[in-house]
Amino acid sequence: MFQRILIANRGEIALRVIRTAREMGIECVTVFSEADAHSLHTRMGHVAVPLGGRLPSESYLVADKILKAAKETGAQAIHPGYGFLSENAAFARAVVDAGLAWIGPPPHAIEVMGDKIESRRAMLAAGVPLVPGLTDPVADADAAVAAAKGIGYPIMIKAAAGGGGKGIRIVRDPGEMKSAFRTASGEAQSAFGDGRLYLERYLDEPRHIEVQVMFDQHGGAVHYGERECSIQRRHQKLLEESPGPIVDAELRAQMGEVALRAGRAVGYQGAGTVEFLYSKGEFFFLEMNTRLQVEHPITEMVTGVDLVRDQLEVAAGRPLARTQDEITWRGHAIEVRINAEDVNAGFLPATGTIRNLRLPGGPWVRVDSCMYRGLEVGLNYDPMLAKIIVWGEDRATAIERMRRALEELNVGGVRTSAPAALAVLAEPAFRAGEYTTHFLEALDLKGRVGAQERLVAAISAVHRRAMASRRALGADAGDRRGWQARSRAALSDHVRLATNPGGQA
Amino acid sequence: MFQRILIANRGEIALRVIRTAREMGIECVTVFSEADAHSLHTRMGHVAVPLGGRLPSESYLVADKILKAAKETGAQAIHPGYGFLSENAAFARAVVDAGLAWIGPPPHAIEVMGDKIESRRAMLAAGVPLVPGLTDPVADADAAVAAAKGIGYPIMIKAAAGGGGKGIRIVRDPGEMKSAFRTASGEAQSAFGDGRLYLERYLDEPRHIEVQVMFDQHGGAVHYGERECSIQRRHQKLLEESPGPIVDAELRAQMGEVALRAGRAVGYQGAGTVEFLYSKGEFFFLEMNTRLQVEHPITEMVTGVDLVRDQLEVAAGRPLARTQDEITWRGHAIEVRINAEDVNAGFLPATGTIRNLRLPGGPWVRVDSCMYRGLEVGLNYDPMLAKIIVWGEDRATAIERMRRALEELNVGGVRTSAPAALAVLAEPAFRAGEYTTHFLEALDLKGRVGAQERLVAAISAVHRRAMASRRALGADAGDRRGWQARSRAALSDHVRLATNPGGQA
Amino acid sequence: MKYFVEINGRPHEVELTERLGVLSVKVDGEPLDLAYSEVDGLGQFFVLSEGRSYAVSIDGEASELGVTIAGALYDVHIEDERERAAGAAERAAAKQGGLVKSVMPGVVVEICVEVGQEVEAGQPLLILEAMKMQNELVAPHGGRIQSIHAQAGQAVAMGAKLIQIASLEAPE
Amino acid sequence: MKYFVEINGRPHEVELTERLGVLSVKVDGEPLDLAYSEVDGLGQFFVLSEGRSYAVSIDGEASELGVTIAGALYDVHIEDERERAAGAAERAAAKQGGLVKSVMPGVVVEICVEVGQEVEAGQPLLILEAMKMQNELVAPHGGRIQSIHAQAGQAVAMGAKLIQIASLEAPE
């Protein structure tokens, strides 16, 4: 096993890797940008190397700096986390060429899977199902009707030059094809100056379901079951769960088998995720993520497997520690991403300094977080600050536990996506497991009325008054105790319950 | 199910119950002493009732105040947690007489199990094994040899008036009895003026192993396997694990069966723990704890069962949710108690205000804590501030994970028992699972040399200097940024790595 | 003292009266029982009201607060009587005109209007990119573009002045 | 500036020298590369030394510090040159006598000695109870009991004066 690895990442994923490495007795070299000099990942590793620069393009994306750091510190392998250089085949190749182990798939596998056309070709050859459709435009409505037979209804007509929903029609029946083709073609012509149309199967009620796989260097491969990630907005996932609410043992085995086939077709090694679009009993290959994913913890919670440990072991050349039969699933896990976003302002990115932090705890609540008091949240990096993961005996328990955990969470100083996740958890359709990839975008979050509005108005006024008193005390401004005592005196009657007994000033 | 329950406790256990209740949609009435007006349990419930007083005897131990709070708030049941009134049969009876549900065993079961003599008698009648011994003193050495046959060697000779280890001899063979009896009797006579001696089986390599059980009101009963709690000091447990390192499936089934027999013998209902002393293949009844225990989370982690939920359900009259066969065990869990104690000063109680808190996180780390910034830790309550619980695929993984978690933990302002737990985890005998109840007391904690002494000396000096600079800045004393910038300027060359890149000031 | 509180856009009036050291609270004319105390000096508060307890977090300064109770975030705009009086005149003047500020730090991708152009409420004024997402800033009300304070490619801070719209009916 | 540092009872000497704005550190005469910076204003620090990084927590005030690195707690007593000089005389005077203080808050259960009694090092002086545990306080060195400042049943604070022992050889 490696004695020392370099983690070419930041934030919660760098810390995630550090934790398992520490448990395995492996030393971690961390790298950090100027903005991350005090970050948890910088502090929690064994050796920290400054990369300089505040932007990713000056630090975490500079392959040479990272390779230099690895050489100088004697790291034997590089873990790329997710994002940044994790799916950069050239970097992977440079790592291997430098004589270091790459904790990820072979560069060729990254390349093939990173290319839409090449990966479709490889999957087709391997017998992995793809969304049926034509690769060339159709000439006219009659040709479309003929081609549709081989694709299957409903059919989506898409403009070749398309975008913004223009030139798109859904055809559910051959009789509708003619008129739909005509209007779509006209719309495309006038919008883009190009009337050519493609045909593709339209997936009703699409769900994003993905399968976690792991391949060793000796031909061994296992899958760890699926994750459902349909709760997303602009392709950004907010909440994931495992197992998928509509996946039974049979479908799990089928999807797992197809996912392994997809990996084998490109000579995969290490951890990866095969993403599928599921619709009404059928599933189709979407893409393969050739790295560890943000949402890997829910798979860990239900299988009991430390995926980072497995990843490190296969990268070090060891055979997989377990066979497919030894992987079992227990209960249900949910993850919510805590992003720096202002839900009330339509998910605008939020910035600020974390002044105050209350993380949830207790039974079956896992917190993977890079937050600490004093953290400045800016715009240079991914807005994800933490992930809350819960496990429950069953889905209903996991949902209630996540609600409870999010109610305990408080991030003072920066707005987060937590209220949106709470709204999702409260929706009857979500609770019934009946949701699609359209769910979150269709959810009206702005219109939500909190139940405590009168109380909040009163608290705000009393708080405002207390702040003014504190300011009025001038020299004592920094002395919260003095202010508290004053506030208490002013509020003595009401406060008797709350503070007089405590006398905590 | 109950709509509203009262939790007659404080600290982490009150919060533990609140969490499950919240997940079940049950409202919680909390009670709080003057010292606990800002405690997490007070803030996290739905309704908070002040009891007044700072001492337990003025608050959490006053049955009338608690019953009054329950009546006034419309609580339907009372959860006593552990400690305080949880094993007070008179209180349990008063709760039931007031028409409320008692989330615990029937008062009669508490009474019987709370009485050493009565419980021994009941267990004997039920066929539960007790440590073999005589109830009357033996007349002389010959009588002792005769009686020893029925007890079995090794035998412990104990002074009737004993204490402090005086008048005690271990006899491993009948030939040693005569001389041991004579010297023990003489020693007892001179030390206590009473030479009478008792005989009891001496348990070599004793281990404290306990079994978690649950009984419903309909005759249903299950056990959830065992916990090993031999890492203790003056009968205060520090670290617990499940499964027991020396317990196999057969022994688990045996101990479980005996534990259920013990409960049935007293008409038990609800959650309880049967404690055994295990020695070389045999186990003997020690006592039954008629409540939820501090260390219940490790059982939860390996079985996946929320014990508080099961406890609430059986208290509400529901039958047990699962049969014995449905309870399965996965992996290994360890708990460490974070007590306010100064390990370097021989476990003296520590006090102070928590100024700073860094709790561990990440995969399979559970934190049950009542700590928050500003918490004043005094001497009026139990010194336990938190429990760190980890789960791992196997015991070795769990040990390394706990070490990692404790290395992440920091409680600024109050000394804790964490360094002692780290010392235990590092001991080869502990890692091999070969330990007894004598392990912790025999461990030399004071002599430990930290590996970083030179570094700590340097850090302390630089810190001292920085603090002095800050004080010298006078008006800026509260402005840490200004101070930090100054410190950085002074240290610029050395600091280049650490702070210049960050520029976080 | 009276406070004018807007929560998620809905207005409330809170009246605090101190008498003999006791503070009473009225919200929209109805009394509310309330005890408030600070816990950790970092933003955690404990509130008891009408027999219930709340772990409250308050965040923000001056007139813009974020109040969180059990994960539900309330966006609060608060003014006392003096601020209200001062602000009212200003608002009246700006009723049909005003300044569009950057709602977040980012980079201006495109300016969609020109000085002198008439705009309607809701019309896109410029596109701002932050964290790889493009966001349209729209006119809060109709008017004429009076001045533009940014250009494409420019990085702007949160709250930076971007575009000034003058009212059509009441030019100043 | 020189600092005299005692860690878990073992002495070290640290020398800090500032030259042209650069601080160099010597521990027991050997140079040590060190970068120290404060993280959160609450006791978390980041330290880089000899190519390794450390998340350090520092706790305590003035001359008594608790420094925690990766869960290992170091009890630190630190004095600078001036304090050392001032303290040295005091310590010399008290070498064979001194004041026994309460090491923790608690209740005095029993006083085991009387004024005027001669005691040996290690002899129990009184029993203090805290958190339901009884703890013996023993004489740090031999001498004669000069005065007793507490009585059985009394609650005492951490650091409270309990018993004064006078030296036998050099009575003052």
Side-chain angles (χ1 to χ4, degrees), chain A residues 229-244:
Chain A
C229 313
S230 303
I231 303 296
Q232 46 182 254
R233 198 185 146 273
R234 298 190 182 184
H235 297 288
Q236 296 296 309
K237 298 165 186 167
L238 172 66
L239 179 153
E240 302 99 348
E241 60 180 315
S242 180

mmCIF file with all atom_site columns, all heavy atoms in Angstrom, chain A residues 229-244:
data_model
loop_
_atom_site.group_PDB
_atom_site.id
_atom_site.type_symbol
_atom_site.label_atom_id
_atom_site.label_alt_id
_atom_site.label_comp_id
_atom_site.label_asym_id
_atom_site.label_entity_id
_atom_site.label_seq_id
_atom_site.pdbx_PDB_ins_code
_atom_site.Cartn_x
_atom_site.Cartn_y
_atom_site.Cartn_z
_atom_site.occupancy
_atom_site.B_iso_or_equiv
_atom_site.pdbx_formal_charge
_atom_site.auth_seq_id
_atom_site.auth_comp_id
_atom_site.auth_asym_id
_atom_site.auth_atom_id
_atom_site.pdbx_PDB_model_num
ATOM 1   N N   . CYS A 1 229 ? -30.802 10.184 -8.617  1.00 0.00 ? 229 CYS A N   1
ATOM 2   C CA  . CYS A 1 229 ? -30.358 11.576 -8.521  1.00 0.00 ? 229 CYS A CA  1
ATOM 3   C C   . CYS A 1 229 ? -31.243 12.485 -9.355  1.00 0.00 ? 229 CYS A C   1
ATOM 4   O O   . CYS A 1 229 ? -30.762 13.437 -9.979  1.00 0.00 ? 229 CYS A O   1
ATOM 5   C CB  . CYS A 1 229 ? -28.918 11.702 -8.999  1.00 0.00 ? 229 CYS A CB  1
ATOM 6   S SG  . CYS A 1 229 ? -27.813 10.464 -8.323  1.00 0.00 ? 229 CYS A SG  1
ATOM 7   N N   . SER A 1 230 ? -32.535 12.224 -9.382  1.00 0.00 ? 230 SER A N   1
ATOM 8   C CA  . SER A 1 230 ? -33.419 13.025 -10.244 1.00 0.00 ? 230 SER A CA  1
ATOM 9   C C   . SER A 1 230 ? -33.744 14.390 -9.674  1.00 0.00 ? 230 SER A C   1
ATOM 10  O O   . SER A 1 230 ? -34.259 15.251 -10.388 1.00 0.00 ? 230 SER A O   1
ATOM 11  C CB  . SER A 1 230 ? -34.730 12.263 -10.504 1.00 0.00 ? 230 SER A CB  1
ATOM 12  O OG  . SER A 1 230 ? -34.447 11.007 -11.071 1.00 0.00 ? 230 SER A OG  1
ATOM 13  N N   . ILE A 1 231 ? -33.477 14.581 -8.364  1.00 0.00 ? 231 ILE A N   1
ATOM 14  C CA  . ILE A 1 231 ? -33.781 15.897 -7.782  1.00 0.00 ? 231 ILE A CA  1
ATOM 15  C C   . ILE A 1 231 ? -32.637 16.833 -8.152  1.00 0.00 ? 231 ILE A C   1
ATOM 16  O O   . ILE A 1 231 ? -31.628 16.940 -7.456  1.00 0.00 ? 231 ILE A O   1
ATOM 17  C CB  . ILE A 1 231 ? -33.944 15.794 -6.251  1.00 0.00 ? 231 ILE A CB  1
ATOM 18  C CG1 . ILE A 1 231 ? -35.022 14.777 -5.886  1.00 0.00 ? 231 ILE A CG1 1
ATOM 19  C CG2 . ILE A 1 231 ? -34.276 17.166 -5.668  1.00 0.00 ? 231 ILE A CG2 1
ATOM 20  C CD1 . ILE A 1 231 ? -36.417 15.113 -6.343  1.00 0.00 ? 231 ILE A CD1 1
ATOM 21  N N   . GLN A 1 232 ? -32.790 17.506 -9.286  1.00 0.00 ? 232 GLN A N   1
ATOM 22  C CA  . GLN A 1 232 ? -31.739 18.364 -9.802  1.00 0.00 ? 232 GLN A CA  1
ATOM 23  C C   . GLN A 1 232 ? -32.341 19.597 -10.456 1.00 0.00 ? 232 GLN A C   1
ATOM 24  O O   . GLN A 1 232 ? -33.517 19.657 -10.761 1.00 0.00 ? 232 GLN A O   1
ATOM 25  C CB  . GLN A 1 232 ? -30.863 17.590 -10.790 1.00 0.00 ? 232 GLN A CB  1
ATOM 26  C CG  . GLN A 1 232 ? -31.657 16.777 -11.811 1.00 0.00 ? 232 GLN A CG  1
ATOM 27  C CD  . GLN A 1 232 ? -30.767 15.979 -12.749 1.00 0.00 ? 232 GLN A CD  1
ATOM 28  O OE1 . GLN A 1 232 ? -30.633 16.346 -13.901 1.00 0.00 ? 232 GLN A OE1 1
ATOM 29  N NE2 . GLN A 1 232 ? -30.147 14.922 -12.251 1.00 0.00 ? 232 GLN A NE2 1
ATOM 30  N N   . ARG A 1 233 ? -31.483 20.567 -10.645 1.00 0.00 ? 233 ARG A N   1
ATOM 31  C CA  . ARG A 1 233 ? -31.902 21.857 -11.193 1.00 0.00 ? 233 ARG A CA  1
ATOM 32  C C   . ARG A 1 233 ? -30.784 22.302 -12.112 1.00 0.00 ? 233 ARG A C   1
ATOM 33  O O   . ARG A 1 233 ? -29.630 22.367 -11.675 1.00 0.00 ? 233 ARG A O   1
ATOM 34  C CB  . ARG A 1 233 ? -32.033 22.830 -10.016 1.00 0.00 ? 233 ARG A CB  1
ATOM 35  C CG  . ARG A 1 233 ? -32.846 24.059 -10.300 1.00 0.00 ? 233 ARG A CG  1
ATOM 36  C CD  . ARG A 1 233 ? -32.798 25.003 -9.103  1.00 0.00 ? 233 ARG A CD  1
ATOM 37  N NE  . ARG A 1 233 ? -32.836 26.352 -9.644  1.00 0.00 ? 233 ARG A NE  1
ATOM 38  C CZ  . ARG A 1 233 ? -31.770 27.031 -10.017 1.00 0.00 ? 233 ARG A CZ  1
ATOM 39  N NH1 . ARG A 1 233 ? -30.574 26.525 -9.856  1.00 0.00 ? 233 ARG A NH1 1
ATOM 40  N NH2 . ARG A 1 233 ? -31.913 28.247 -10.527 1.00 0.00 ? 233 ARG A NH2 1
ATOM 41  N N   . ARG A 1 234 ? -31.079 22.552 -13.337 1.00 0.00 ? 234 ARG A N   1
ATOM 42  C CA  . ARG A 1 234 ? -30.059 22.885 -14.323 1.00 0.00 ? 234 ARG A CA  1
ATOM 43  C C   . ARG A 1 234 ? -28.909 21.867 -14.275 1.00 0.00 ? 234 ARG A C   1
ATOM 44  O O   . ARG A 1 234 ? -27.740 22.222 -14.224 1.00 0.00 ? 234 ARG A O   1
ATOM 45  C CB  . ARG A 1 234 ? -29.474 24.279 -14.076 1.00 0.00 ? 234 ARG A CB  1
ATOM 46  C CG  . ARG A 1 234 ? -30.521 25.377 -14.186 1.00 0.00 ? 234 ARG A CG  1
ATOM 47  C CD  . ARG A 1 234 ? -29.834 26.725 -14.174 1.00 0.00 ? 234 ARG A CD  1
ATOM 48  N NE  . ARG A 1 234 ? -30.806 27.802 -14.227 1.00 0.00 ? 234 ARG A NE  1
ATOM 49  C CZ  . ARG A 1 234 ? -30.468 29.070 -14.300 1.00 0.00 ? 234 ARG A CZ  1
ATOM 50  N NH1 . ARG A 1 234 ? -29.189 29.410 -14.330 1.00 0.00 ? 234 ARG A NH1 1
ATOM 51  N NH2 . ARG A 1 234 ? -31.383 30.007 -14.346 1.00 0.00 ? 234 ARG A NH2 1
ATOM 52  N N   . HIS A 1 235 ? -29.273 20.602 -14.165 1.00 0.00 ? 235 HIS A N   1
ATOM 53  C CA  . HIS A 1 235 ? -28.308 19.500 -14.101 1.00 0.00 ? 235 HIS A CA  1
ATOM 54  C C   . HIS A 1 235 ? -27.425 19.530 -12.861 1.00 0.00 ? 235 HIS A C   1
ATOM 55  O O   . HIS A 1 235 ? -26.434 18.820 -12.784 1.00 0.00 ? 235 HIS A O   1
ATOM 56  C CB  . HIS A 1 235 ? -27.448 19.430 -15.366 1.00 0.00 ? 235 HIS A CB  1
ATOM 57  C CG  . HIS A 1 235 ? -28.275 19.155 -16.591 1.00 0.00 ? 235 HIS A CG  1
ATOM 58  N ND1 . HIS A 1 235 ? -28.834 17.920 -16.827 1.00 0.00 ? 235 HIS A ND1 1
ATOM 59  C CD2 . HIS A 1 235 ? -28.685 19.957 -17.588 1.00 0.00 ? 235 HIS A CD2 1
ATOM 60  C CE1 . HIS A 1 235 ? -29.542 17.988 -17.944 1.00 0.00 ? 235 HIS A CE1 1
ATOM 61  N NE2 . HIS A 1 235 ? -29.480 19.203 -18.422 1.00 0.00 ? 235 HIS A NE2 1
ATOM 62  N N   . GLN A 1 236 ? -27.766 20.380 -11.879 1.00 0.00 ? 236 GLN A N   1
ATOM 63  C CA  . GLN A 1 236 ? -27.064 20.363 -10.601 1.00 0.00 ? 236 GLN A CA  1
ATOM 64  C C   . GLN A 1 236 ? -27.916 19.567 -9.624  1.00 0.00 ? 236 GLN A C   1
ATOM 65  O O   . GLN A 1 236 ? -29.045 19.938 -9.327  1.00 0.00 ? 236 GLN A O   1
ATOM 66  C CB  . GLN A 1 236 ? -26.870 21.789 -10.058 1.00 0.00 ? 236 GLN A CB  1
ATOM 67  C CG  . GLN A 1 236 ? -25.987 22.667 -10.927 1.00 0.00 ? 236 GLN A CG  1
ATOM 68  C CD  . GLN A 1 236 ? -24.571 22.133 -11.004 1.00 0.00 ? 236 GLN A CD  1
ATOM 69  O OE1 . GLN A 1 236 ? -23.950 21.852 -9.981  1.00 0.00 ? 236 GLN A OE1 1
ATOM 70  N NE2 . GLN A 1 236 ? -24.074 21.949 -12.228 1.00 0.00 ? 236 GLN A NE2 1
ATOM 71  N N   . LYS A 1 237 ? -27.351 18.469 -9.123  1.00 0.00 ? 237 LYS A N   1
ATOM 72  C CA  . LYS A 1 237 ? -28.102 17.634 -8.190  1.00 0.00 ? 237 LYS A CA  1
ATOM 73  C C   . LYS A 1 237 ? -28.203 18.313 -6.834  1.00 0.00 ? 237 LYS A C   1
ATOM 74  O O   . LYS A 1 237 ? -27.266 18.961 -6.382  1.00 0.00 ? 237 LYS A O   1
ATOM 75  C CB  . LYS A 1 237 ? -27.414 16.283 -8.038  1.00 0.00 ? 237 LYS A CB  1
ATOM 76  C CG  . LYS A 1 237 ? -27.342 15.488 -9.346  1.00 0.00 ? 237 LYS A CG  1
ATOM 77  C CD  . LYS A 1 237 ? -26.346 14.351 -9.250  1.00 0.00 ? 237 LYS A CD  1
ATOM 78  C CE  . LYS A 1 237 ? -26.174 13.673 -10.617 1.00 0.00 ? 237 LYS A CE  1
ATOM 79  N NZ  . LYS A 1 237 ? -24.995 12.765 -10.622 1.00 0.00 ? 237 LYS A NZ  1
ATOM 80  N N   . LEU A 1 238 ? -29.350 18.161 -6.202  1.00 0.00 ? 238 LEU A N   1
ATOM 81  C CA  . LEU A 1 238 ? -29.546 18.744 -4.874  1.00 0.00 ? 238 LEU A CA  1
ATOM 82  C C   . LEU A 1 238 ? -29.660 17.649 -3.816  1.00 0.00 ? 238 LEU A C   1
ATOM 83  O O   . LEU A 1 238 ? -29.156 17.781 -2.700  1.00 0.00 ? 238 LEU A O   1
ATOM 84  C CB  . LEU A 1 238 ? -30.818 19.598 -4.853  1.00 0.00 ? 238 LEU A CB  1
ATOM 85  C CG  . LEU A 1 238 ? -31.258 20.129 -3.494  1.00 0.00 ? 238 LEU A CG  1
ATOM 86  C CD1 . LEU A 1 238 ? -30.237 21.130 -2.949  1.00 0.00 ? 238 LEU A CD1 1
ATOM 87  C CD2 . LEU A 1 238 ? -32.642 20.786 -3.569  1.00 0.00 ? 238 LEU A CD2 1
ATOM 88  N N   . LEU A 1 239 ? -30.352 16.567 -4.162  1.00 0.00 ? 239 LEU A N   1
ATOM 89  C CA  . LEU A 1 239 ? -30.646 15.503 -3.199  1.00 0.00 ? 239 LEU A CA  1
ATOM 90  C C   . LEU A 1 239 ? -30.556 14.176 -3.938  1.00 0.00 ? 239 LEU A C   1
ATOM 91  O O   . LEU A 1 239 ? -31.053 14.051 -5.056  1.00 0.00 ? 239 LEU A O   1
ATOM 92  C CB  . LEU A 1 239 ? -32.048 15.740 -2.634  1.00 0.00 ? 239 LEU A CB  1
ATOM 93  C CG  . LEU A 1 239 ? -32.620 14.754 -1.626  1.00 0.00 ? 239 LEU A CG  1
ATOM 94  C CD1 . LEU A 1 239 ? -33.640 15.456 -0.739  1.00 0.00 ? 239 LEU A CD1 1
ATOM 95  C CD2 . LEU A 1 239 ? -33.275 13.556 -2.299  1.00 0.00 ? 239 LEU A CD2 1
ATOM 96  N N   . GLU A 1 240 ? -29.900 13.211 -3.319  1.00 0.00 ? 240 GLU A N   1
ATOM 97  C CA  . GLU A 1 240 ? -29.770 11.883 -3.925  1.00 0.00 ? 240 GLU A CA  1
ATOM 98  C C   . GLU A 1 240 ? -30.182 10.836 -2.910  1.00 0.00 ? 240 GLU A C   1
ATOM 99  O O   . GLU A 1 240 ? -30.065 11.059 -1.711  1.00 0.00 ? 240 GLU A O   1
ATOM 100 C CB  . GLU A 1 240 ? -28.319 11.619 -4.357  1.00 0.00 ? 240 GLU A CB  1
ATOM 101 C CG  . GLU A 1 240 ? -27.752 12.636 -5.344  1.00 0.00 ? 240 GLU A CG  1
ATOM 102 C CD  . GLU A 1 240 ? -26.887 13.688 -4.675  1.00 0.00 ? 240 GLU A CD  1
ATOM 103 O OE1 . GLU A 1 240 ? -26.913 13.770 -3.425  1.00 0.00 ? 240 GLU A OE1 1
ATOM 104 O OE2 . GLU A 1 240 ? -26.183 14.423 -5.387  1.00 0.00 ? 240 GLU A OE2 1
ATOM 105 N N   . GLU A 1 241 ? -30.637 9.693  -3.403  1.00 0.00 ? 241 GLU A N   1
ATOM 106 C CA  . GLU A 1 241 ? -30.976 8.630  -2.465  1.00 0.00 ? 241 GLU A CA  1
ATOM 107 C C   . GLU A 1 241 ? -30.595 7.269  -3.021  1.00 0.00 ? 241 GLU A C   1
ATOM 108 O O   . GLU A 1 241 ? -30.447 7.078  -4.229  1.00 0.00 ? 241 GLU A O   1
ATOM 109 C CB  . GLU A 1 241 ? -32.459 8.667  -2.091  1.00 0.00 ? 241 GLU A CB  1
ATOM 110 C CG  . GLU A 1 241 ? -33.433 8.508  -3.246  1.00 0.00 ? 241 GLU A CG  1
ATOM 111 C CD  . GLU A 1 241 ? -34.885 8.554  -2.771  1.00 0.00 ? 241 GLU A CD  1
ATOM 112 O OE1 . GLU A 1 241 ? -35.219 7.908  -1.761  1.00 0.00 ? 241 GLU A OE1 1
ATOM 113 O OE2 . GLU A 1 241 ? -35.683 9.256  -3.421  1.00 0.00 ? 241 GLU A OE2 1
ATOM 114 N N   . SER A 1 242 ? -30.416 6.325  -2.089  1.00 0.00 ? 242 SER A N   1
ATOM 115 C CA  . SER A 1 242 ? -30.107 4.951  -2.456  1.00 0.00 ? 242 SER A CA  1
ATOM 116 C C   . SER A 1 242 ? -30.739 4.039  -1.418  1.00 0.00 ? 242 SER A C   1
ATOM 117 O O   . SER A 1 242 ? -30.636 4.309  -0.223  1.00 0.00 ? 242 SER A O   1
ATOM 118 C CB  . SER A 1 242 ? -28.594 4.729  -2.487  1.00 0.00 ? 242 SER A CB  1
ATOM 119 O OG  . SER A 1 242 ? -28.310 3.392  -2.835  1.00 0.00 ? 242 SER A OG  1
ATOM 120 N N   . PRO A 1 243 ? -31.413 2.978  -1.787  1.00 0.00 ? 243 PRO A N   1
ATOM 121 C CA  . PRO A 1 243 ? -31.678 2.578  -3.177  1.00 0.00 ? 243 PRO A CA  1
ATOM 122 C C   . PRO A 1 243 ? -32.662 3.513  -3.865  1.00 0.00 ? 243 PRO A C   1
ATOM 123 O O   . PRO A 1 243 ? -33.300 4.345  -3.226  1.00 0.00 ? 243 PRO A O   1
ATOM 124 C CB  . PRO A 1 243 ? -32.281 1.176  -3.017  1.00 0.00 ? 243 PRO A CB  1
ATOM 125 C CG  . PRO A 1 243 ? -32.748 1.080  -1.615  1.00 0.00 ? 243 PRO A CG  1
ATOM 126 C CD  . PRO A 1 243 ? -31.938 2.034  -0.803  1.00 0.00 ? 243 PRO A CD  1
ATOM 127 N N   . GLY A 1 244 ? -32.782 3.380  -5.180  1.00 0.00 ? 244 GLY A N   1
ATOM 128 C CA  . GLY A 1 244 ? -33.769 4.141  -5.926  1.00 0.00 ? 244 GLY A CA  1
ATOM 129 C C   . GLY A 1 244 ? -35.155 3.674  -5.527  1.00 0.00 ? 244 GLY A C   1
ATOM 130 O O   . GLY A 1 244 ? -35.392 2.475  -5.382  1.00 0.00 ? 244 GLY A O   1
#
